[in-house]
Amino acid sequence: MSKRITYTAMAITAALVSINANAAGFQVNEHSASGLGRAFSGEVAVADNASVLARNPAAMAMFDRMEFSGSLSLIDPSIDVSTVGSSPSQTYNDVAPFAAVPAGYFIQPINDKLAWGIGIFSNYGFATDYPADANFGALAGMTDLITMNINPNISWRINDHFSVGAGVSLVYADAELNRNFGSLAPIYGTEPSQTLMNLQGDTWEWGWNIGALWELDENNRFGFSYRSQVDLDFDGKYTDYQGSGVAGSSPTNPATVDGNLKVPLPAIAEFGGFHQLTKQWAVHYGVQWTQWSKFTELKATSDDCIDNTCLLKEEEYNDSFRYSLGATYTLNPEWVIRAGFAFDEQAGKATLSIPDTDRYWYSAGFTYLYSNDLTFDLGVTYLYGKSNTFKEEYVDGREYEFSGKNYAWLGAAQVNYKF
């Protein structure tokens, strides 16, 4: 493989592992306002509204009426990345844009043993937007990945204590990225903001999920769920302005070819518990595992690229855990308040494109019971990402040092209606 192909690989790697600062890697946890208010602690076991479908299909067995839940989560991240000791120094502020994450769920009991439901939500996604004239434009630019999971499920109550559930996932993903020449511009006689490469594509893929619920008694229960890996297989357009992937292309004569890129969305397993200690107080907790070790490489191929390979980049990711703990307090028949804390482990080696780090969630929220059929949830979280420094090799073969700082405010509102 030529050195130039490796440079292009570095650029596209920057695109596909960028982050919105709200979870490890490019994972999305924002499934509900009620969950956000407790830092998503005990989500596989709490089952206080239909949004439990995003975490554990077996919990549908606890519903005796049809229910709908709809939520909108707003994410306002602040990620600043600065060069350390290099000249000219640069600071890239707010490289992750504001994001909105909608979700909807519906559950219908069939009889006292069976129930079915469907959820529409996202488990993965990201967006970043660096300045077009950034020195390190070959590693940073505009990136956008959107995924949508359409997830029908069914549950079966085995007896008074045990329930199981399963579902299938139809996942839609759309990706676009743009990289710029940056400090490479003088070599090619162009401007730093000139596009270096562009990639666009979308795909539909399948996955599956299972869950179990153990109701020790009416006040204590435990849940477990597993969501399979989904292998995204993008077909799209790859445009080379450098000649590193497609022979003969240049800034004044770019080449656009059909390309294919494979990206795994890692499997997720989760365990949690819920305990109603008194009429007013309840506690809940959870442990979530994400199989990031399956994210080992990014490889884009095309018959029109050199040696059929447009890019190839090895990745350094490890399985990560997320730990959460929360409490719920029933103030009166109309108001329920909650709070939670979570620790989200770093998933991958920090890079310019993804200054990944450990994250700490500080959450609070409430439910307002308007009637026996209609309730509203509101949740807010301050997410603190530990500052870090990291080194990364750029396309000129030199290793540069960077520092990253990030935090985010997350807010969500939700409506729940029982039919």
Side-chain angles (χ1 to χ4, degrees):
M1 178 185 299
S2 73
K3 199 170 187 180
R4 277 185 163 181
I5 294 176
T6 302
Y7 294 168
T8 307
M10 292 170 67
I12 201 160
T13 299
L16 289 171
V17 295
S18 298
I19 193 167
N20 259 340
N22 60 312
F26 46 90
Q27 192 169 358
V28 174
N29 279 306
E30 289 72 31
H31 298 142
S32 67
S34 54
L36 183 67
R38 51 180 170 254
F40 296 101
S41 57
E43 286 300 279
V44 291
V46 176
D48 51 356
N49 55 65
S51 67
V52 71
L53 268 181
R55 315 301 275 249
N56 186 5
M60 291 191 297
M62 296 186 61
F63 290 74
D64 55 11
R65 296 172 60 186
M66 288 190 298
E67 183 166 340
F68 165 80
S69 294
S71 69
L72 179 65
S73 300
L74 304 177
I75 305 169
D76 186 16
S78 177
I79 302 179
D80 301 332
V81 179
S82 302
T83 59
V84 178
S86 61
S87 181
S89 62
Q90 282 194 329
T91 297
Y92 312 121
N93 293 319
D94 293 328
V95 298
F98 179 87
V101 183
Y105 312 90
F106 174 78
I107 292 175
Q108 180 180 22
I110 299 173
N111 53 42
D112 59 355
K113 294 291 185 181
L114 297 173
W116 80 277
I118 186 169
I120 302 176
F121 55 95
S122 177
N123 283 317
Y124 293 95
F126 58 83
T128 54
D129 192 4
Y130 281 80
D133 59 351
N135 286 344
F136 298 92
L139 295 179
M142 186 280 291
T143 305
D144 193 22
L145 171 66
I146 299 173
T147 69
M148 178 182 65
N149 185 358
I150 303 173
N151 185 204
N153 296 268
I154 190 167
S155 69
W156 174 41
R157 177 176 287 280
I158 301 173
N159 54 42
D160 290 341
H161 298 287
F162 294 99
S163 303
V164 294
V168 295
S169 294
L170 178 59
V171 179
Y172 173 75
D174 182 272
E176 181 179 0
L177 66 96
N178 196 79
R179 292 294 175 263
N180 305 304
F181 274 88
S183 61
L184 300 178
I187 301 174
Y188 293 87
T190 188
E191 297 297 322
S193 59
Q194 166 69 42
T195 300
L196 173 70
M197 53 88 64
N198 179 269
L199 178 68
Q200 299 182 44
D202 61 359
T203 185
W204 288 91
E205 305 295 344
W206 290 94
W208 54 271
N209 61 293
I210 57 174
L213 184 71
W214 177 30
E215 298 173 72
L216 186 62
D217 53 43
E218 63 179 6
N219 295 319
N220 300 277
R221 53 186 178 270
F222 304 92
F224 171 81
S225 68
Y226 178 86
R227 190 169 292 278
S228 74
Q229 176 176 314
V230 176
D231 294 315
L232 301 181
D233 192 356
F234 286 101
D235 289 320
K237 297 294 184 180
Y238 171 76
T239 303
D240 183 11
Y241 293 78
Q242 184 188 10
S244 58
V246 183
S249 59
S250 68
T252 57
N253 186 36
T256 299
V257 300
D258 293 330
N260 176 267
L261 177 70
K262 299 182 185 299
V263 181
L265 302 181
I268 304 169
E270 188 169 1
F271 171 81
F274 173 86
H275 306 282
Q276 189 72 46
L277 304 180
T278 68
K279 289 183 177 181
Q280 290 182 303
W281 283 102
V283 296
H284 25 82
Y285 49 86
V287 179
Q288 185 184 77
W289 166 85
T290 305
Q291 197 176 17
W292 285 110
S293 60
K294 291 293 186 178
F295 188 47
T296 60
E297 70 173 15
L298 285 169
K299 184 176 182 180
T301 59
S302 173
D303 293 338
D304 297 304
C305 285
I306 302 171
D307 297 328
N308 295 327
T309 302
C310 303
L311 62 95
L312 176 63
K313 178 66 170 64
E314 302 296 328
E315 295 299 333
E316 296 184 38
Y317 272 66
N318 298 303
D319 296 348
S320 68
F321 286 87
R322 183 182 189 276
Y323 306 92
S324 56
L325 175 67
T328 296
Y329 179 74
T330 302
L331 185 63
N332 56 46
E334 294 182 342
W335 293 92
V336 177
I337 59 177
R338 57 181 64 91
F341 169 79
F343 170 64
D344 204 355
E345 284 186 339
Q346 180 175 337
K349 179 183 177 181
T351 63
L352 181 63
S353 59
I354 176 170
D356 200 9
T357 185
D358 294 336
R359 291 170 177 81
Y360 304 86
W361 298 57
Y362 303 91
S363 303
F366 64 82
T367 297
Y368 172 62
L369 287 79
Y370 179 81
S371 68
N372 291 332
D373 300 329
L374 180 62
T375 63
F376 299 93
D377 294 295
L378 189 69
V380 63
T381 290
Y382 173 71
L383 191 151
Y384 168 74
K386 186 166 61 177
S387 299
N388 63 344
T389 59
F390 55 92
K391 294 181 178 181
E392 186 172 7
E393 183 179 343
Y394 194 53
V395 297
D396 58 7
R398 297 173 57 190
E399 190 173 64
Y400 293 85
E401 187 173 4
F402 303 90
S403 65
K405 298 179 180 180
N406 69 75
Y407 68 88
W409 283 99
L410 289 70
Q414 179 174 325
V415 60
N416 312 290
Y417 186 76
K418 296 180 180 179
F419 296 88

